[in-house]
Amino acid sequence: MPEYRRILLHGDPVQALVVGDHLVTAEGERLAIAEAHHLAPVEPTKIIATHLTYRSRVEEFMTRLPPAPTYFHKPTTSLNAHLGEVVRPKRCRYLNYEGEVAIVIGRRAFDISLDEAADHIAGYTIANDFGLHDFRDTDAGSMLRVKGSDTLCPLGPGLVTDWDFHDKDIRTLVNDELRQSGNTSEMAWDMHYLVADLARTITLLPGDVILSGTPAGSRPVEPGDVVTVEVEGIGALVSRIVEGSVAVRSDVGAQPSDSEEVISTALGGDWELRGVRAPRGAGARHYESEVS
């Protein structure tokens, strides 16, 4: 399966083909993958993420699937790359990983049928849809700060152009310890469905990215942790968690919190077992389509 990566070479972004353990540019220049400075494999005009799609995630939150997929938007300023640093701002505690498959659009798509969707997909890459749940109380609807803060959308390492998404394993590891394990067969709606659904009212352009949802097991990580998302047939995306040099300002806006909503979303089914204190009535049963 051809795989293309975007790297920084001589100070300029270039696309290169993976050939063994090397990258080869269109001009024939070769560079060892281990020595490459990776960039996000595409330059999207928009990043659209899907809420619940994996059945294990639904079961984990003791909720139910919505009748159709629901979505939120991540700004392009959240883009990050393979081996990039994911920033947990000071004063925040609940930064969660979410290993996902990312769909990359190859041709302009609008008002297309389900059968036509495949013709508009350039390929697939790996995503980690990090969430800063400290802002869940105020941004649960839009997910803007929760999922759209800077560095919270690593993509990569490359774009695989001939990959069959059916029955593929997806795993997330933290410091080499398995935390998420799922399979695309769990998805209530597949990749083609998501593209056709969104393109009913939104024009999808070449390079646009659709994040297709995550299986159960998303939990917070700490500065110093290394998070790896592995997708069968695509590869492995590695991110390093760091503490931000700037604290979230306290003189404007809603502040980071550890409310019932924050804790029960960040810790999933684990919060009761960890002895975490939460307000009366805490639980995850009421999140439904806003869980992601």
Side-chain angles (χ1 to χ4, degrees), residues 10-233:
H10 309 311
D12 296 315
V14 299
Q15 187 179 70
L17 176 68
V18 175
V19 180
D21 57 359
H22 283 74
L23 297 168
V24 181
T25 69
E27 290 73 28
E29 189 165 356
R30 296 175 65 90
L31 176 71
I33 290 176
E35 299 175 2
H37 179 119
H38 282 80
L39 304 173
V42 293
E43 296 181 277
T45 68
K46 49 189 167 290
I47 305 165
I48 300 172
T50 315
H51 283 118
L52 284 174
T53 54
Y54 282 76
R55 298 187 188 282
S56 62
R57 186 72 163 156
V58 174
E59 293 168 2
E60 177 181 37
F61 278 90
M62 298 173 287
T63 184
R64 60 182 181 272
L65 281 165
T70 61
Y71 307 93
F72 59 94
H73 195 195
K74 290 172 79 88
T76 55
T77 46
S78 68
L79 270 178
N80 205 334
H82 177 54
L83 301 177
E85 294 183 340
V86 174
V87 177
R88 190 185 76 175
K90 290 182 178 179
R91 300 183 60 228
C92 293
R93 295 174 55 195
Y94 298 107
L95 175 65
N96 281 46
Y97 54 80
E98 291 186 13
E100 309 202 4
V101 175
I103 306 160
V104 178
I105 300 300
R107 291 174 48 205
R108 181 184 181 277
F110 182 78
D111 189 29
I112 59 173
S113 70
L114 189 57
D115 290 340
E116 294 172 316
D119 295 333
H120 295 265
I121 296 174
Y124 300 86
T125 188
I126 305 172
N128 198 329
D129 182 21
F130 279 98
L132 195 63
H133 290 296
D134 305 73
F135 287 103
R136 187 103 193 171
D137 289 327
T138 53
D139 285 2
S142 72
M143 304 291 278
L144 182 61
R145 283 169 290 199
V146 175
K147 294 299 188 75
S149 295
D150 288 2
T151 76
L152 298 193
C153 189
L155 297 177
L159 173 67
V160 177
T161 58
D162 186 17
W163 181 73
D164 181 352
F165 60 77
H166 294 94
D167 194 26
K168 293 299 190 295
D169 290 334
I170 178 169
R171 310 193 319 156
T172 303
L173 301 94
V174 178
N175 303 326
D176 296 323
E177 179 182 327
L178 183 64
R179 298 292 182 85
Q180 286 185 293
S181 181
N183 188 283
T184 55
S185 62
E186 292 182 48
M187 295 177 66
W189 304 283
D190 69 17
M191 313 300 178
H192 296 166
Y193 189 103
L194 299 178
V195 171
D197 181 22
L198 286 164
R200 291 184 302 159
T201 60
I202 299 172
T203 299
L204 302 175
L205 300 175
D208 284 352
V209 170
I210 301 168
L211 307 188
S212 62
T214 196
S218 168
R219 298 294 185 271
V221 284
E222 302 288 333
D225 287 340
V226 176
V227 184
T228 304
V229 182
E230 300 176 345
V231 176
E232 181 183 353

Side-chain angles (χ1 to χ4, degrees), residues 242-255:
V242 300
E243 183 176 45
S245 58
V246 177
V248 173
R249 294 186 65 100
S250 61
D251 56 345
V252 293
Q255 299 302 305

